[in-house]
Amino acid sequence: MTSAIDEKIEPLFQEVLNRNPGETEFHQAVREVLESLGPVLVKYPEFAHHKIIERICEPERQIIFRVPWIDDKGQVQINRGFRVEFNSSLGPYKGGLRFHPSVYLGIIKFLGFEQIFKNALTGLPIGGGKGGSDFDPKGRSDAEIMRFCQSFMTELYRHIGEHTDVPAGDIGVGGREIGYLFGQYKRITNRWEAGVLTGKGLTWGGSLVRTEATGYGAVFFVDEMLKVRKDSFDGKICSVSGSGNVAIYTTEKIHQLGGKVVTLSDSGGYIYDEKGVDLDLVKQLKEIERRRISEYVKYHKDAKYVAGGNIWEIPCQVAMPSATQNEINGADAKLLVDNGCIAVGEGANMPTTPEGVRVFLDAGIAYGPGKAANAGGVATSALEMQQNATRDSWSFEYTEERLKKIMKNIHQSCYETAEEFGTPGNYVIGANCAGFIRVAKAMLAMGVI
Ligand code: NDP
């Protein structure tokens, strides 16, 4: 079940369906934004007159390319690469690269579309884009990863640049991959152009706090939602899904704020550690040894691993989905609410289905959608660009303080915009409208382009 789209906007959504057949995740992301926009068009009729919605739903540029590479057995492998440069009204296209076998155009377009509004919410000068490949890094050697990244960049380099398009990481793309991609860009262009990629290593242009930023930022956002309700993380039992970059640093910040994370997962299953997840062990297993989360229970005999289980069946007060899209459906959301969950902060992009979102909103719990809650990653990427441009390098404390302030501002902007449009406490409407209005005003100012 989904909410209604305003009758003036419905035909525009039908047009998106017709023009982009089979791209179900993209349809879902567009629908979720369009459902919020009815009152915006009443306040700003000029947006309709200038066809802002129609233009915003059509990427400025979509690049699809072949990525051939040779594996360790000497076999030729062929993958498909994507970069969707969605909207550059507010700044150069900015958004991560995802390497995962499920990647196809519809996934990249959903992520790129979300990215436009997320980036607008940060208040920083960045447009929206996203890219990636159907390459599966699991089980690949370092040498294979390097050859793949080099081949990927051999095509991508001609489309990106510090003033044009600045990719970063996402699922399957972390510090190692950014290093190989940057090396190949430097080699082909003969330019040491720090601002072309973010998420770089700390000794060669990276920013402190970028690794932690998405997870920390998501927790700061939830903390702000809890403060509105005169509550905090202190003593809260929390459930986090995934065990990658976002999940690890979400867990770290929750522990620092006095909460207890009792779950983590990967695509094989989840772990439950009633005493609280041992994060040093998780970092060793995942960041250094690149092993599966199931191996956690070899070191903590009283924790349990549930293969293929549903992580959301574990009762918690705060849930932070940090793995992938559509990981919480309507039934999962109901289970969470029935078990006493009072707040949900999305570290992942679009992790809750429309049915799940409806359950959270109807229950009146604090629900922070991904485009607001996980904007800390891209915001800190923009801070990395700022440091690169001024050849400066900020301390951890200073950068984290900037991140915290940005997340507080995003929360405030979503909160106030929700009130302005008559839906207090609804961060979905707040985030969609605040992000959309900022982009739409810039598009209006720049004419029909
Ligand atoms: P990582 O690759 O570091 O980790 C992803 C984690 O999610 C892994 O534990 C992975 O398990 C799990 N996962 C991925 N796909 C699935 C699936 N289909 N089913 C179950 N589990 C799955 O990625 P990130 O932590 O960087 O990204 C996680 C989410 O956060 C994504 O939605 C991403 O778009 C979003 N995000 C990330 C940002 C960043 O800065 N990195 C910024 C904003 C949002 P397995 O190893 O088994 O695949």
Side-chain angles (χ1 to χ4, degrees):
M1 189 199 69
T2 49
S3 316
I5 298 186
D6 182 275
E7 60 180 19
K8 287 202 200 69
I9 302 179
E10 180 66 37
L12 313 186
F13 180 60
Q14 290 307 321
E15 189 61 17
V16 169
L17 296 181
N18 294 340
R19 287 171 68 81
N20 305 278
E23 297 176 0
T24 48
E25 296 82 1
F26 179 52
H27 302 163
Q28 184 182 335
V30 171
R31 179 173 184 110
E32 194 248 9
V33 171
L34 298 197
E35 276 173 5
S36 303
L37 296 183
V40 173
L41 292 194
V42 174
K43 182 164 181 196
Y44 300 97
E46 62 273 30
F47 291 167
H49 182 69
H50 291 274
K51 294 204 169 22
I52 297 290
I53 293 181
E54 291 90 323
R55 281 196 271 153
I56 233 169
C57 291
E58 184 69 21
E60 289 174 13
R61 195 173 296 109
Q62 306 183 56
I63 302 148
I64 303 180
F65 51 100
R66 182 173 67 199
V67 189
W69 56 284
I70 296 177
D71 69 16
D72 285 347
K73 295 190 189 110
Q75 300 291 318
V76 175
Q77 300 282 342
I78 293 136
N79 287 98
R80 187 170 287 176
F82 302 89
R83 187 71 186 167
V84 173
E85 299 180 332
F86 226 118
N87 194 297
S88 60
S89 309
L90 295 176
Y93 309 105
K94 184 90 198 83
L97 298 171
R98 176 176 291 192
F99 293 169
H100 192 272
S102 63
V103 164
Y104 75 108
L105 189 59
I107 293 271
I108 300 298
K109 278 165 71 176
F110 118 63
L111 291 164
F113 187 74
E114 291 268 297
Q115 198 82 46
I116 304 170
F117 309 106
K118 179 189 307 189
N119 293 4
L121 285 172
T122 67
L124 298 164
I126 40 180
K130 199 84 187 186
S133 174
D134 57 1
F135 171 68
D136 187 357
K138 261 193 219 103
R140 291 293 178 190
S141 69
D142 271 359
E144 289 178 316
I145 300 282
M146 181 182 75
R147 288 195 294 274
F148 176 80
C149 288
Q150 290 176 340
S151 181
F152 186 84
M153 184 53 84
T154 300
E155 172 60 33
L156 187 69
Y157 88 94
R158 67 189 88 242
H159 307 290
I160 62 176
E162 63 179 322
H163 301 298
T164 317
D165 184 354
V166 184
D170 190 79
I171 292 178
V173 179
R176 172 181 59 171
E177 291 74 18
I178 294 292
Y180 294 145
L181 291 163
F182 186 80
Q184 185 72 349
Y185 181 85
K186 180 176 79 64
R187 181 193 201 185
I188 296 174
T189 60
N190 194 28
R191 276 205 308 272
W192 208 100
E193 188 185 332
V196 72
L197 286 170
T198 57
K200 297 183 291 296
L202 294 178
T203 53
W204 48 278
S207 171
L208 284 162
V209 192
R210 176 61 190 91
T211 305
E212 294 83 356
T214 307
Y216 278 22
V219 176
F220 289 145
F221 189 91
V222 173
D223 199 36
E224 290 298 319
M225 294 198 298
L226 291 171
K227 274 186 201 152
V228 169
R229 293 164 183 242
K230 313 246 175 300
D231 205 342
S232 76
F233 267 102
D234 199 27
K236 295 274 182 308
I237 303 295
C238 306
S239 187
V240 175
S241 64
S243 51
N245 172 266
V246 178
I248 287 174
Y249 292 97
T250 294
T251 303
E252 184 161 284
K253 187 49 76 180
I254 289 176
H255 285 174
Q256 287 172 11
L257 296 186
K260 183 165 77 171
V261 173
V262 294
T263 66
L264 284 175
S265 67
D266 61 23
S267 52
Y270 74 85
I271 56 154
Y272 174 53
D273 189 341
E274 201 182 354
K275 292 199 198 123
V277 162
D278 172 355
L279 197 59
D280 288 339
L281 173 63
V282 173
K283 284 185 180 178
Q284 179 68 27
L285 289 175
K286 300 301 296 184
E287 294 187 326
I288 298 171
E289 298 171 19
R290 297 181 189 276
R291 288 159 72 187
R292 308 298 295 161
I293 199 65
S294 57
E295 306 203 35
Y296 181 94
V297 296
K298 285 189 188 157
Y299 303 87
H300 283 285
K301 301 285 181 207
D302 43 356
K304 69 173 182 175
Y305 173 68
V306 183
N310 181 3
I311 191 172
W312 309 118
E313 69 197 9
I314 300 293
C316 65
Q317 291 154 298
V318 178
M320 302 214 41
S322 307
T324 194
Q325 62 276 355
N326 292 329
E327 53 171 308
I328 299 181
N329 63 25
D332 299 330
K334 188 162 180 324
L335 202 55
L336 280 166
V337 170
D338 289 348
N339 282 335
C341 181
I342 56 158
V344 175
E346 296 185 337
N349 284 307
M350 206 168 75
T352 311
T353 64
E355 294 76 14
V357 174
R358 181 55 37 220
V359 171
F360 292 147
L361 294 177
D362 287 349
I365 68 165
Y367 167 63
K371 66 170 76 68
N374 72 37
V378 74
T380 309
S381 277
L383 300 183
E384 182 175 330
M385 291 161 74
Q386 206 174 321
Q387 291 168 79
N388 293 153
T390 53
R391 298 184 189 278
D392 201 355
S393 139
W394 305 339
S395 70
F396 193 96
E397 292 69 27
Y398 176 76
T399 318
E400 188 183 5
E401 211 35 58
R402 294 273 312 251
L403 168 65
K404 199 170 179 179
K405 186 132 192 280
I406 291 169
M407 296 314 297
K408 199 178 163 72
N409 289 344
I410 294 175
H411 172 272
Q412 191 171 347
S413 150
C414 296
Y415 186 81
E416 287 173 1
T417 309
E419 291 217 319
E420 180 188 346
F421 287 104
T423 52
N426 185 328
Y427 292 93
V428 175
I429 290 185
N432 288 338
C433 296
F436 178 85
I437 290 169
R438 183 151 190 254
V439 180
K441 285 183 174 170
M443 289 176 73
L444 215 54
M446 292 177 198
V448 179
I449 52 169

